[in-house]
Amino acid sequence: VYRRDPASVETGRDHILVLGNHFPHKAAKVTSEAIRRAYPSLQVVVLGGENFESSNLIGRRSGLLDAEAVSDLFARASVVVLPSYIEGFGFGLLHALAAGKPVAARRIDAVLEILATFDRVEGVHLFEDNAQLAAALEAALRDGCSRVEDRRAIDWGEWSEGLMDFCRQALEDPALFALQEARIRELDLIRRAEGSVSHPGGGVVDVAELLSYRDAEFVQQAYREILRRP
């Protein structure tokens, strides 16, 4: 977990920060629009798919901002909103908690898993759907900050060791190769069905031409001609 010094927490309240990107499952665009309409007097900043400014809504394209700019957005936020339906690691929630910001987050597995590692959590309000978003946001705005008790949380060293243990166990699994081989075959069939790979010669492999290649170039060309993939 990201640990912080309470004395260093910024208390900016310039905007509501909605986290996401251009993918629909992040729900950043629809959520920021709903908040903008519900709170016309408040500034809303969304990390989404494009840069724009419209009324009280400012968009910043996710992935193009440097770390300092992102930290500034967190520092000046009054509330951090996490509307995503699917999260891999939940870094947005960790950043918000490290900055001491109140949070309105969708109730998904990644969020619940992170919160379960703490003995005590304050300032985090969950919502199931957009109908509950307003209540969660109102509660977060009233809180002003978030606090967690993280004495049981593991540090990055312990986490990385656990990840390496998982990788080692996966590599020792005798079924791993067969599973990967099956997935590659399935992907080959999908690509052929979609016609996504051009195949000169109408699907006929010119063996003489193929044998004219040598070493790594032969292997690469054989994959392209026979398996139709890099």
PDB file of all heavy atoms in Angstrom, residues 59-98:
ATOM      1  N   GLY A  59     -11.778  17.796 -19.724  1.00  0.00           N
ATOM      2  CA  GLY A  59     -11.286  16.465 -20.032  1.00  0.00           C
ATOM      3  C   GLY A  59      -9.789  16.462 -20.261  1.00  0.00           C
ATOM      4  O   GLY A  59      -9.260  17.361 -20.915  1.00  0.00           O
ATOM      5  N   ARG A  60      -9.134  15.472 -19.719  1.00  0.00           N
ATOM      6  CA  ARG A  60      -7.715  15.284 -19.937  1.00  0.00           C
ATOM      7  C   ARG A  60      -7.488  13.846 -20.415  1.00  0.00           C
ATOM      8  O   ARG A  60      -7.952  12.904 -19.768  1.00  0.00           O
ATOM      9  CB  ARG A  60      -6.911  15.544 -18.658  1.00  0.00           C
ATOM     10  CG  ARG A  60      -6.924  17.001 -18.232  1.00  0.00           C
ATOM     11  CD  ARG A  60      -6.133  17.846 -19.213  1.00  0.00           C
ATOM     12  NE  ARG A  60      -6.146  19.268 -18.871  1.00  0.00           N
ATOM     13  CZ  ARG A  60      -6.943  20.167 -19.442  1.00  0.00           C
ATOM     14  NH1 ARG A  60      -7.788  19.772 -20.397  1.00  0.00           N
ATOM     15  NH2 ARG A  60      -6.890  21.428 -19.102  1.00  0.00           N
ATOM     16  N   ARG A  61      -6.799  13.693 -21.530  1.00  0.00           N
ATOM     17  CA  ARG A  61      -6.614  12.363 -22.094  1.00  0.00           C
ATOM     18  C   ARG A  61      -5.706  11.532 -21.208  1.00  0.00           C
ATOM     19  O   ARG A  61      -4.562  11.900 -20.944  1.00  0.00           O
ATOM     20  CB  ARG A  61      -6.028  12.460 -23.495  1.00  0.00           C
ATOM     21  CG  ARG A  61      -5.970  11.104 -24.195  1.00  0.00           C
ATOM     22  CD  ARG A  61      -5.523  11.242 -25.623  1.00  0.00           C
ATOM     23  NE  ARG A  61      -5.396   9.932 -26.254  1.00  0.00           N
ATOM     24  CZ  ARG A  61      -4.982   9.747 -27.501  1.00  0.00           C
ATOM     25  NH1 ARG A  61      -4.672  10.793 -28.240  1.00  0.00           N
ATOM     26  NH2 ARG A  61      -4.886   8.529 -27.986  1.00  0.00           N
ATOM     27  N   SER A  62      -6.219  10.414 -20.757  1.00  0.00           N
ATOM     28  CA  SER A  62      -5.467   9.534 -19.873  1.00  0.00           C
ATOM     29  C   SER A  62      -4.273   8.939 -20.598  1.00  0.00           C
ATOM     30  O   SER A  62      -4.352   8.574 -21.762  1.00  0.00           O
ATOM     31  CB  SER A  62      -6.378   8.410 -19.370  1.00  0.00           C
ATOM     32  OG  SER A  62      -5.688   7.531 -18.527  1.00  0.00           O
ATOM     33  N   GLY A  63      -3.143   8.871 -19.903  1.00  0.00           N
ATOM     34  CA  GLY A  63      -1.947   8.288 -20.478  1.00  0.00           C
ATOM     35  C   GLY A  63      -0.989   9.285 -21.081  1.00  0.00           C
ATOM     36  O   GLY A  63       0.159   8.948 -21.363  1.00  0.00           O
ATOM     37  N   LEU A  64      -1.437  10.535 -21.292  1.00  0.00           N
ATOM     38  CA  LEU A  64      -0.575  11.556 -21.877  1.00  0.00           C
ATOM     39  C   LEU A  64      -0.038  12.535 -20.843  1.00  0.00           C
ATOM     40  O   LEU A  64       0.822  13.359 -21.151  1.00  0.00           O
ATOM     41  CB  LEU A  64      -1.328  12.327 -22.969  1.00  0.00           C
ATOM     42  CG  LEU A  64      -1.760  11.522 -24.195  1.00  0.00           C
ATOM     43  CD1 LEU A  64      -2.394  12.441 -25.224  1.00  0.00           C
ATOM     44  CD2 LEU A  64      -0.573  10.792 -24.822  1.00  0.00           C
ATOM     45  N   LEU A  65      -0.540  12.472 -19.610  1.00  0.00           N
ATOM     46  CA  LEU A  65      -0.100  13.385 -18.557  1.00  0.00           C
ATOM     47  C   LEU A  65       1.100  12.799 -17.837  1.00  0.00           C
ATOM     48  O   LEU A  65       1.158  11.590 -17.585  1.00  0.00           O
ATOM     49  CB  LEU A  65      -1.229  13.635 -17.564  1.00  0.00           C
ATOM     50  CG  LEU A  65      -2.501  14.286 -18.116  1.00  0.00           C
ATOM     51  CD1 LEU A  65      -3.563  14.363 -17.029  1.00  0.00           C
ATOM     52  CD2 LEU A  65      -2.208  15.675 -18.661  1.00  0.00           C
ATOM     53  N   ASP A  66       2.059  13.665 -17.490  1.00  0.00           N
ATOM     54  CA  ASP A  66       3.200  13.166 -16.724  1.00  0.00           C
ATOM     55  C   ASP A  66       2.811  12.988 -15.265  1.00  0.00           C
ATOM     56  O   ASP A  66       1.734  13.417 -14.829  1.00  0.00           O
ATOM     57  CB  ASP A  66       4.414  14.088 -16.863  1.00  0.00           C
ATOM     58  CG  ASP A  66       4.135  15.514 -16.421  1.00  0.00           C
ATOM     59  OD1 ASP A  66       3.322  15.717 -15.490  1.00  0.00           O
ATOM     60  OD2 ASP A  66       4.737  16.444 -16.997  1.00  0.00           O
ATOM     61  N   ALA A  67       3.673  12.341 -14.496  1.00  0.00           N
ATOM     62  CA  ALA A  67       3.366  12.010 -13.102  1.00  0.00           C
ATOM     63  C   ALA A  67       3.094  13.250 -12.267  1.00  0.00           C
ATOM     64  O   ALA A  67       2.218  13.242 -11.391  1.00  0.00           O
ATOM     65  CB  ALA A  67       4.520  11.210 -12.506  1.00  0.00           C
ATOM     66  N   GLU A  68       3.825  14.334 -12.536  1.00  0.00           N
ATOM     67  CA  GLU A  68       3.631  15.556 -11.758  1.00  0.00           C
ATOM     68  C   GLU A  68       2.254  16.156 -11.998  1.00  0.00           C
ATOM     69  O   GLU A  68       1.596  16.609 -11.059  1.00  0.00           O
ATOM     70  CB  GLU A  68       4.717  16.568 -12.135  1.00  0.00           C
ATOM     71  CG  GLU A  68       4.685  17.828 -11.294  1.00  0.00           C
ATOM     72  CD  GLU A  68       5.822  18.781 -11.618  1.00  0.00           C
ATOM     73  OE1 GLU A  68       6.764  18.366 -12.328  1.00  0.00           O
ATOM     74  OE2 GLU A  68       5.767  19.943 -11.167  1.00  0.00           O
ATOM     75  N   ALA A  69       1.796  16.139 -13.260  1.00  0.00           N
ATOM     76  CA  ALA A  69       0.472  16.680 -13.574  1.00  0.00           C
ATOM     77  C   ALA A  69      -0.631  15.860 -12.929  1.00  0.00           C
ATOM     78  O   ALA A  69      -1.615  16.404 -12.416  1.00  0.00           O
ATOM     79  CB  ALA A  69       0.282  16.739 -15.092  1.00  0.00           C
ATOM     80  N   VAL A  70      -0.472  14.529 -12.946  1.00  0.00           N
ATOM     81  CA  VAL A  70      -1.479  13.658 -12.321  1.00  0.00           C
ATOM     82  C   VAL A  70      -1.505  13.878 -10.812  1.00  0.00           C
ATOM     83  O   VAL A  70      -2.581  13.979 -10.205  1.00  0.00           O
ATOM     84  CB  VAL A  70      -1.189  12.183 -12.650  1.00  0.00           C
ATOM     85  CG1 VAL A  70      -2.137  11.266 -11.878  1.00  0.00           C
ATOM     86  CG2 VAL A  70      -1.315  11.929 -14.144  1.00  0.00           C
ATOM     87  N   SER A  71      -0.333  13.992 -10.190  1.00  0.00           N
ATOM     88  CA  SER A  71      -0.269  14.238  -8.749  1.00  0.00           C
ATOM     89  C   SER A  71      -0.944  15.557  -8.398  1.00  0.00           C
ATOM     90  O   SER A  71      -1.620  15.666  -7.363  1.00  0.00           O
ATOM     91  CB  SER A  71       1.192  14.256  -8.286  1.00  0.00           C
ATOM     92  OG  SER A  71       1.778  12.989  -8.435  1.00  0.00           O
ATOM     93  N   ASP A  72      -0.790  16.559  -9.268  1.00  0.00           N
ATOM     94  CA  ASP A  72      -1.416  17.852  -9.027  1.00  0.00           C
ATOM     95  C   ASP A  72      -2.935  17.750  -9.091  1.00  0.00           C
ATOM     96  O   ASP A  72      -3.647  18.380  -8.287  1.00  0.00           O
ATOM     97  CB  ASP A  72      -0.905  18.871 -10.053  1.00  0.00           C
ATOM     98  CG  ASP A  72      -1.480  20.260  -9.826  1.00  0.00           C
ATOM     99  OD1 ASP A  72      -1.196  20.850  -8.758  1.00  0.00           O
ATOM    100  OD2 ASP A  72      -2.219  20.746 -10.694  1.00  0.00           O
ATOM    101  N   LEU A  73      -3.446  16.954 -10.037  1.00  0.00           N
ATOM    102  CA  LEU A  73      -4.897  16.769 -10.128  1.00  0.00           C
ATOM    103  C   LEU A  73      -5.440  16.115  -8.862  1.00  0.00           C
ATOM    104  O   LEU A  73      -6.509  16.487  -8.363  1.00  0.00           O
ATOM    105  CB  LEU A  73      -5.238  15.924 -11.352  1.00  0.00           C
ATOM    106  CG  LEU A  73      -5.077  16.590 -12.719  1.00  0.00           C
ATOM    107  CD1 LEU A  73      -5.369  15.587 -13.825  1.00  0.00           C
ATOM    108  CD2 LEU A  73      -6.001  17.795 -12.845  1.00  0.00           C
ATOM    109  N   PHE A  74      -4.712  15.128  -8.342  1.00  0.00           N
ATOM    110  CA  PHE A  74      -5.125  14.496  -7.091  1.00  0.00           C
ATOM    111  C   PHE A  74      -5.054  15.481  -5.938  1.00  0.00           C
ATOM    112  O   PHE A  74      -5.963  15.549  -5.102  1.00  0.00           O
ATOM    113  CB  PHE A  74      -4.235  13.286  -6.798  1.00  0.00           C
ATOM    114  CG  PHE A  74      -4.693  12.005  -7.417  1.00  0.00           C
ATOM    115  CD1 PHE A  74      -4.211  11.607  -8.653  1.00  0.00           C
ATOM    116  CD2 PHE A  74      -5.622  11.196  -6.779  1.00  0.00           C
ATOM    117  CE1 PHE A  74      -4.626  10.422  -9.232  1.00  0.00           C
ATOM    118  CE2 PHE A  74      -6.047  10.010  -7.348  1.00  0.00           C
ATOM    119  CZ  PHE A  74      -5.545   9.623  -8.591  1.00  0.00           C
ATOM    120  N   ALA A  75      -3.967  16.246  -5.867  1.00  0.00           N
ATOM    121  CA  ALA A  75      -3.758  17.160  -4.738  1.00  0.00           C
ATOM    122  C   ALA A  75      -4.845  18.230  -4.664  1.00  0.00           C
ATOM    123  O   ALA A  75      -5.233  18.643  -3.565  1.00  0.00           O
ATOM    124  CB  ALA A  75      -2.384  17.815  -4.852  1.00  0.00           C
ATOM    125  N   ARG A  76      -5.350  18.671  -5.814  1.00  0.00           N
ATOM    126  CA  ARG A  76      -6.332  19.755  -5.837  1.00  0.00           C
ATOM    127  C   ARG A  76      -7.774  19.256  -5.885  1.00  0.00           C
ATOM    128  O   ARG A  76      -8.709  20.048  -5.980  1.00  0.00           O
ATOM    129  CB  ARG A  76      -6.059  20.677  -7.020  1.00  0.00           C
ATOM    130  CG  ARG A  76      -4.732  21.417  -6.909  1.00  0.00           C
ATOM    131  CD  ARG A  76      -4.555  22.473  -7.988  1.00  0.00           C
ATOM    132  NE  ARG A  76      -4.443  21.895  -9.318  1.00  0.00           N
ATOM    133  CZ  ARG A  76      -5.381  21.990 -10.256  1.00  0.00           C
ATOM    134  NH1 ARG A  76      -6.528  22.612  -9.999  1.00  0.00           N
ATOM    135  NH2 ARG A  76      -5.197  21.443 -11.451  1.00  0.00           N
ATOM    136  N   ALA A  77      -7.961  17.938  -5.817  1.00  0.00           N
ATOM    137  CA  ALA A  77      -9.318  17.383  -5.899  1.00  0.00           C
ATOM    138  C   ALA A  77     -10.025  17.446  -4.556  1.00  0.00           C
ATOM    139  O   ALA A  77      -9.415  17.254  -3.502  1.00  0.00           O
ATOM    140  CB  ALA A  77      -9.259  15.939  -6.382  1.00  0.00           C
ATOM    141  N   SER A  78     -11.315  17.710  -4.605  1.00  0.00           N
ATOM    142  CA  SER A  78     -12.138  17.640  -3.400  1.00  0.00           C
ATOM    143  C   SER A  78     -12.623  16.221  -3.171  1.00  0.00           C
ATOM    144  O   SER A  78     -12.737  15.764  -2.031  1.00  0.00           O
ATOM    145  CB  SER A  78     -13.335  18.594  -3.515  1.00  0.00           C
ATOM    146  OG  SER A  78     -14.081  18.320  -4.691  1.00  0.00           O
ATOM    147  N   VAL A  79     -12.880  15.493  -4.261  1.00  0.00           N
ATOM    148  CA  VAL A  79     -13.322  14.098  -4.203  1.00  0.00           C
ATOM    149  C   VAL A  79     -12.749  13.376  -5.417  1.00  0.00           C
ATOM    150  O   VAL A  79     -12.641  13.961  -6.501  1.00  0.00           O
ATOM    151  CB  VAL A  79     -14.861  13.982  -4.219  1.00  0.00           C
ATOM    152  CG1 VAL A  79     -15.299  12.521  -4.361  1.00  0.00           C
ATOM    153  CG2 VAL A  79     -15.464  14.571  -2.962  1.00  0.00           C
ATOM    154  N   VAL A  80     -12.390  12.117  -5.249  1.00  0.00           N
ATOM    155  CA  VAL A  80     -11.979  11.276  -6.369  1.00  0.00           C
ATOM    156  C   VAL A  80     -13.088  10.253  -6.626  1.00  0.00           C
ATOM    157  O   VAL A  80     -13.510   9.538  -5.711  1.00  0.00           O
ATOM    158  CB  VAL A  80     -10.650  10.556  -6.080  1.00  0.00           C
ATOM    159  CG1 VAL A  80     -10.291   9.609  -7.224  1.00  0.00           C
ATOM    160  CG2 VAL A  80      -9.525  11.567  -5.862  1.00  0.00           C
ATOM    161  N   VAL A  81     -13.546  10.190  -7.880  1.00  0.00           N
ATOM    162  CA  VAL A  81     -14.636   9.286  -8.255  1.00  0.00           C
ATOM    163  C   VAL A  81     -14.060   8.159  -9.110  1.00  0.00           C
ATOM    164  O   VAL A  81     -13.346   8.398 -10.082  1.00  0.00           O
ATOM    165  CB  VAL A  81     -15.730  10.025  -9.037  1.00  0.00           C
ATOM    166  CG1 VAL A  81     -16.864   9.059  -9.417  1.00  0.00           C
ATOM    167  CG2 VAL A  81     -16.277  11.186  -8.208  1.00  0.00           C
ATOM    168  N   LEU A  82     -14.383   6.919  -8.745  1.00  0.00           N
ATOM    169  CA  LEU A  82     -13.905   5.725  -9.453  1.00  0.00           C
ATOM    170  C   LEU A  82     -15.118   4.966 -10.000  1.00  0.00           C
ATOM    171  O   LEU A  82     -15.682   4.111  -9.322  1.00  0.00           O
ATOM    172  CB  LEU A  82     -13.106   4.829  -8.509  1.00  0.00           C
ATOM    173  CG  LEU A  82     -11.936   5.503  -7.770  1.00  0.00           C
ATOM    174  CD1 LEU A  82     -11.396   4.586  -6.685  1.00  0.00           C
ATOM    175  CD2 LEU A  82     -10.846   5.859  -8.761  1.00  0.00           C
ATOM    176  N   PRO A  83     -15.528   5.257 -11.233  1.00  0.00           N
ATOM    177  CA  PRO A  83     -16.760   4.659 -11.762  1.00  0.00           C
ATOM    178  C   PRO A  83     -16.569   3.359 -12.517  1.00  0.00           C
ATOM    179  O   PRO A  83     -17.538   2.775 -13.005  1.00  0.00           O
ATOM    180  CB  PRO A  83     -17.249   5.746 -12.723  1.00  0.00           C
ATOM    181  CG  PRO A  83     -15.985   6.366 -13.246  1.00  0.00           C
ATOM    182  CD  PRO A  83     -14.982   6.283 -12.126  1.00  0.00           C
ATOM    183  N   SER A  84     -15.340   2.851 -12.623  1.00  0.00           N
ATOM    184  CA  SER A  84     -15.037   1.703 -13.470  1.00  0.00           C
ATOM    185  C   SER A  84     -15.787   0.445 -13.041  1.00  0.00           C
ATOM    186  O   SER A  84     -15.942   0.170 -11.851  1.00  0.00           O
ATOM    187  CB  SER A  84     -13.533   1.429 -13.453  1.00  0.00           C
ATOM    188  OG  SER A  84     -13.229   0.289 -14.227  1.00  0.00           O
ATOM    189  N   TYR A  85     -16.228  -0.322 -14.037  1.00  0.00           N
ATOM    190  CA  TYR A  85     -16.871  -1.610 -13.786  1.00  0.00           C
ATOM    191  C   TYR A  85     -15.831  -2.723 -13.611  1.00  0.00           C
ATOM    192  O   TYR A  85     -16.134  -3.765 -13.041  1.00  0.00           O
ATOM    193  CB  TYR A  85     -17.800  -1.978 -14.946  1.00  0.00           C
ATOM    194  CG  TYR A  85     -19.049  -1.140 -15.019  1.00  0.00           C
ATOM    195  CD1 TYR A  85     -19.090  -0.007 -15.824  1.00  0.00           C
ATOM    196  CD2 TYR A  85     -20.175  -1.467 -14.277  1.00  0.00           C
ATOM    197  CE1 TYR A  85     -20.238   0.773 -15.905  1.00  0.00           C
ATOM    198  CE2 TYR A  85     -21.326  -0.696 -14.344  1.00  0.00           C
ATOM    199  CZ  TYR A  85     -21.350   0.426 -15.156  1.00  0.00           C
ATOM    200  OH  TYR A  85     -22.480   1.197 -15.217  1.00  0.00           O
ATOM    201  N   ILE A  86     -14.622  -2.510 -14.141  1.00  0.00           N
ATOM    202  CA  ILE A  86     -13.569  -3.515 -14.069  1.00  0.00           C
ATOM    203  C   ILE A  86     -12.251  -2.828 -13.750  1.00  0.00           C
ATOM    204  O   ILE A  86     -11.904  -1.826 -14.372  1.00  0.00           O
ATOM    205  CB  ILE A  86     -13.419  -4.278 -15.405  1.00  0.00           C
ATOM    206  CG1 ILE A  86     -14.730  -4.971 -15.791  1.00  0.00           C
ATOM    207  CG2 ILE A  86     -12.297  -5.301 -15.327  1.00  0.00           C
ATOM    208  CD1 ILE A  86     -14.713  -5.570 -17.176  1.00  0.00           C
ATOM    209  N   GLU A  87     -11.521  -3.350 -12.773  1.00  0.00           N
ATOM    210  CA  GLU A  87     -10.203  -2.825 -12.426  1.00  0.00           C
ATOM    211  C   GLU A  87      -9.223  -3.985 -12.295  1.00  0.00           C
ATOM    212  O   GLU A  87      -9.563  -5.028 -11.748  1.00  0.00           O
ATOM    213  CB  GLU A  87     -10.248  -2.057 -11.103  1.00  0.00           C
ATOM    214  CG  GLU A  87     -10.790  -0.641 -11.221  1.00  0.00           C
ATOM    215  CD  GLU A  87      -9.849   0.301 -11.947  1.00  0.00           C
ATOM    216  OE1 GLU A  87      -8.651  -0.038 -12.076  1.00  0.00           O
ATOM    217  OE2 GLU A  87     -10.304   1.352 -12.405  1.00  0.00           O
ATOM    218  N   GLY A  88      -8.001  -3.777 -12.779  1.00  0.00           N
ATOM    219  CA  GLY A  88      -6.990  -4.800 -12.647  1.00  0.00           C
ATOM    220  C   GLY A  88      -6.255  -4.707 -11.315  1.00  0.00           C
ATOM    221  O   GLY A  88      -6.209  -5.654 -10.540  1.00  0.00           O
ATOM    222  N   PHE A  89      -5.698  -3.526 -11.030  1.00  0.00           N
ATOM    223  CA  PHE A  89      -4.886  -3.347  -9.831  1.00  0.00           C
ATOM    224  C   PHE A  89      -5.488  -2.354  -8.835  1.00  0.00           C
ATOM    225  O   PHE A  89      -5.169  -2.402  -7.660  1.00  0.00           O
ATOM    226  CB  PHE A  89      -3.478  -2.881 -10.212  1.00  0.00           C
ATOM    227  CG  PHE A  89      -2.705  -3.899 -10.978  1.00  0.00           C
ATOM    228  CD1 PHE A  89      -2.633  -3.833 -12.359  1.00  0.00           C
ATOM    229  CD2 PHE A  89      -2.052  -4.943 -10.336  1.00  0.00           C
ATOM    230  CE1 PHE A  89      -1.923  -4.780 -13.084  1.00  0.00           C
ATOM    231  CE2 PHE A  89      -1.343  -5.888 -11.047  1.00  0.00           C
ATOM    232  CZ  PHE A  89      -1.282  -5.800 -12.427  1.00  0.00           C
ATOM    233  N   GLY A  90      -6.303  -1.436  -9.292  1.00  0.00           N
ATOM    234  CA  GLY A  90      -6.899  -0.463  -8.372  1.00  0.00           C
ATOM    235  C   GLY A  90      -5.949   0.630  -7.926  1.00  0.00           C
ATOM    236  O   GLY A  90      -6.066   1.142  -6.813  1.00  0.00           O
ATOM    237  N   PHE A  91      -5.002   1.005  -8.789  1.00  0.00           N
ATOM    238  CA  PHE A  91      -4.040   2.032  -8.405  1.00  0.00           C
ATOM    239  C   PHE A  91      -4.718   3.383  -8.154  1.00  0.00           C
ATOM    240  O   PHE A  91      -4.237   4.176  -7.345  1.00  0.00           O
ATOM    241  CB  PHE A  91      -2.967   2.193  -9.483  1.00  0.00           C
ATOM    242  CG  PHE A  91      -1.963   1.081  -9.488  1.00  0.00           C
ATOM    243  CD1 PHE A  91      -1.674   0.392 -10.658  1.00  0.00           C
ATOM    244  CD2 PHE A  91      -1.303   0.704  -8.331  1.00  0.00           C
ATOM    245  CE1 PHE A  91      -0.742  -0.637 -10.667  1.00  0.00           C
ATOM    246  CE2 PHE A  91      -0.379  -0.323  -8.325  1.00  0.00           C
ATOM    247  CZ  PHE A  91      -0.102  -1.000  -9.504  1.00  0.00           C
ATOM    248  N   GLY A  92      -5.818   3.658  -8.852  1.00  0.00           N
ATOM    249  CA  GLY A  92      -6.520   4.924  -8.649  1.00  0.00           C
ATOM    250  C   GLY A  92      -6.991   5.085  -7.219  1.00  0.00           C
ATOM    251  O   GLY A  92      -6.854   6.162  -6.619  1.00  0.00           O
ATOM    252  N   LEU A  93      -7.534   4.018  -6.654  1.00  0.00           N
ATOM    253  CA  LEU A  93      -7.976   4.049  -5.260  1.00  0.00           C
ATOM    254  C   LEU A  93      -6.794   4.249  -4.328  1.00  0.00           C
ATOM    255  O   LEU A  93      -6.869   5.024  -3.366  1.00  0.00           O
ATOM    256  CB  LEU A  93      -8.723   2.759  -4.925  1.00  0.00           C
ATOM    257  CG  LEU A  93      -9.163   2.579  -3.472  1.00  0.00           C
ATOM    258  CD1 LEU A  93     -10.069   3.725  -3.023  1.00  0.00           C
ATOM    259  CD2 LEU A  93      -9.863   1.244  -3.285  1.00  0.00           C
ATOM    260  N   LEU A  94      -5.674   3.570  -4.590  1.00  0.00           N
ATOM    261  CA  LEU A  94      -4.487   3.722  -3.750  1.00  0.00           C
ATOM    262  C   LEU A  94      -3.949   5.145  -3.800  1.00  0.00           C
ATOM    263  O   LEU A  94      -3.554   5.702  -2.774  1.00  0.00           O
ATOM    264  CB  LEU A  94      -3.409   2.734  -4.185  1.00  0.00           C
ATOM    265  CG  LEU A  94      -3.717   1.252  -3.953  1.00  0.00           C
ATOM    266  CD1 LEU A  94      -2.584   0.386  -4.485  1.00  0.00           C
ATOM    267  CD2 LEU A  94      -3.955   0.961  -2.487  1.00  0.00           C
ATOM    268  N   HIS A  95      -3.922   5.730  -4.985  1.00  0.00           N
ATOM    269  CA  HIS A  95      -3.461   7.115  -5.109  1.00  0.00           C
ATOM    270  C   HIS A  95      -4.364   8.064  -4.304  1.00  0.00           C
ATOM    271  O   HIS A  95      -3.881   8.980  -3.639  1.00  0.00           O
ATOM    272  CB  HIS A  95      -3.435   7.540  -6.568  1.00  0.00           C
ATOM    273  CG  HIS A  95      -2.239   7.050  -7.330  1.00  0.00           C
ATOM    274  ND1 HIS A  95      -0.953   7.355  -6.965  1.00  0.00           N
ATOM    275  CD2 HIS A  95      -2.146   6.281  -8.448  1.00  0.00           C
ATOM    276  CE1 HIS A  95      -0.112   6.800  -7.825  1.00  0.00           C
ATOM    277  NE2 HIS A  95      -0.811   6.132  -8.717  1.00  0.00           N
ATOM    278  N   ALA A  96      -5.669   7.846  -4.409  1.00  0.00           N
ATOM    279  CA  ALA A  96      -6.604   8.711  -3.699  1.00  0.00           C
ATOM    280  C   ALA A  96      -6.429   8.596  -2.189  1.00  0.00           C
ATOM    281  O   ALA A  96      -6.424   9.601  -1.472  1.00  0.00           O
ATOM    282  CB  ALA A  96      -8.042   8.365  -4.093  1.00  0.00           C
ATOM    283  N   LEU A  97      -6.283   7.372  -1.690  1.00  0.00           N
ATOM    284  CA  LEU A  97      -6.092   7.171  -0.255  1.00  0.00           C
ATOM    285  C   LEU A  97      -4.756   7.745   0.207  1.00  0.00           C
ATOM    286  O   LEU A  97      -4.657   8.310   1.303  1.00  0.00           O
ATOM    287  CB  LEU A  97      -6.170   5.683   0.076  1.00  0.00           C
ATOM    288  CG  LEU A  97      -7.523   5.003  -0.163  1.00  0.00           C
ATOM    289  CD1 LEU A  97      -7.429   3.509   0.120  1.00  0.00           C
ATOM    290  CD2 LEU A  97      -8.607   5.643   0.699  1.00  0.00           C
ATOM    291  N   ALA A  98      -3.707   7.597  -0.629  1.00  0.00           N
ATOM    292  CA  ALA A  98      -2.407   8.141  -0.272  1.00  0.00           C
ATOM    293  C   ALA A  98      -2.449   9.661  -0.190  1.00  0.00           C
ATOM    294  O   ALA A  98      -1.735  10.270   0.611  1.00  0.00           O
ATOM    295  CB  ALA A  98      -1.358   7.697  -1.291  1.00  0.00           C
TER     296      ALA A  98
END
